[in-house]
């Protein structure tokens, strides 16, 4: 009931902020943290929908799953136009060396993931505040292939010594992987020999 009401009444950026505040509270829970959580979420909910959402949050802040909140927001939430415009505006303001940093993309910074890939769960986890749950969610998304792994640039390898380039190519090909140890129950495994 809380998430349904939250996504219906407030924009998606507020929902993500509430989810990250709950995750931060769970890292350091206590009376002061609880008061800070209620104060911050009260400001986010606003005076119109605040009483209803605060009552629902007070009932479920300990048991609601933060990954569920992020996924529910991804499915049913809508970002405000001001937030999307602000994200696009940030990407359009070039930083000092952006023409070099984004040379392969025409010297222009790419749009934020929340604008270019709004269906991806990793786009929403990037919006969360820094906490251990955000890092854990990002690791799990990487583990299951939802976040692309960065590839080593080919032009960097030519600057390195030859033995480093060979080792890098072997590790990229998977040639340096070590096989797991065999168990005694497997054929050809180690056996305990009795001494006579």
């Amino acid at each position: 009931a809380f998430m349904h009401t939250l996504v219906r009444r407030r924009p998606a950026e507020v929902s993500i902020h509430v989810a990250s505040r709950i995750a931060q509270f769970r890292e350091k829970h206590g009376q002061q943290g609880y008061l800070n959580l209620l104060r911050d979420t009260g400001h986010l909910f606003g005076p119109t929908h605040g009483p209803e959402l605060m009552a629902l949050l007070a009932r479920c802040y300990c048991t609601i799953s933060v990954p569920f909140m992020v996924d529910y927001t991804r499915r049913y939430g809508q970002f405000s136009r001001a937030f999307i415009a602000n994200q696009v505006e940030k990407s359009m303001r070039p930083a000092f060396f952006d023409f070099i940093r984004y040379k392969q993309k025409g010297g222009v910074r790419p749009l934020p993931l929340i604008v270019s890939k709004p269906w991806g769960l990793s786009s929403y986890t990037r919006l969360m505040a820094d906490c251990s749950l955000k890092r854990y969610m990002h690791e799990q998304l990487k583990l299951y292939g939802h976040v692309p792994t960065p590839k080593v640039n080919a032009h960097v390898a030519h600057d390195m010594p030859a033995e480093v380039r060979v080792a890098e190519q072997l590790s990229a090909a998977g040639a340096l992987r070590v096989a797991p140890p065999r168990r005694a129950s497997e054929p050809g495994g180690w056996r305990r020999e009795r001494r006579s």
Side-chain angles (χ1 to χ4, degrees):
F2 171 67
M3 279 310 295
H4 175 71
T5 311
L6 180 61
V7 219
R8 219 176 50 184
R9 306 264 193 242
R10 301 297 294 152
E13 63 266 18
V14 171
S15 303
I16 295 295
H17 194 74
V18 169
S20 61
R21 276 301 284 127
I22 291 174
Q24 287 174 334
F25 167 71
R26 288 185 182 163
E27 286 182 359
K28 277 190 169 180
H29 57 280
Q31 181 64 28
Q32 189 61 39
Y34 178 69
L35 293 175
N36 290 339
L37 171 71
L38 291 181
R39 186 189 67 235
D40 292 348
T41 52
H43 288 303
L44 289 172
F45 294 154
T48 309
H49 306 293
E52 176 187 11
L53 289 170
M54 285 300 291
L56 291 170
L57 175 67
R59 289 191 337 201
C60 70
Y61 74 95
C62 282
T63 56
I64 193 164
S65 169
V66 175
F68 166 75
M69 291 177 73
V70 174
D71 189 44
Y72 195 91
T73 305
R74 178 184 66 91
R75 287 184 185 179
Y76 304 110
Q78 290 184 348
F79 287 98
S80 63
R81 291 180 183 169
F83 178 79
I84 297 292
N86 189 17
Q87 293 290 313
V88 172
E89 179 69 26
K90 279 183 187 175
S91 68
M92 293 300 160
R93 279 182 288 177
F96 193 56
F97 279 108
D98 273 0
F99 65 95
I100 294 174
R101 189 177 299 132
Y102 302 111
K103 188 182 205 178
Q104 69 275 11
K105 295 184 174 146
V108 179
R109 182 186 300 181
L111 288 172
L113 287 176
I114 204 65
V115 177
S116 61
K117 296 180 182 176
W119 59 86
L121 196 55
S122 61
S123 307
Y124 287 79
T125 56
R126 287 175 184 262
L127 294 178
M128 292 179 67
D130 192 29
C131 60
S132 61
L133 186 63
K134 174 185 177 178
R135 290 188 293 273
Y136 178 74
M137 287 173 64
H138 194 69
E139 286 173 8
Q140 291 299 313
L141 289 171
K142 263 187 174 176
L143 181 68
Y144 289 103
H146 297 290
V147 176
T149 55
K151 295 180 181 175
V152 178
N153 293 335
H155 68 277
V156 176
H158 296 294
D159 299 348
M160 296 181 191
E163 58 271 0
V164 174
R165 284 185 289 177
V166 169
E168 185 178 319
Q169 289 174 353
L170 285 174
S171 66
L176 298 179
R177 290 188 184 149
V178 178
R182 292 184 285 181
R183 299 180 186 248
S185 61
E186 295 177 354
W190 60 271
R191 294 185 183 150
R192 201 185 265 183
E193 295 181 16
R194 293 187 182 185
R195 295 182 184 179
S196 50

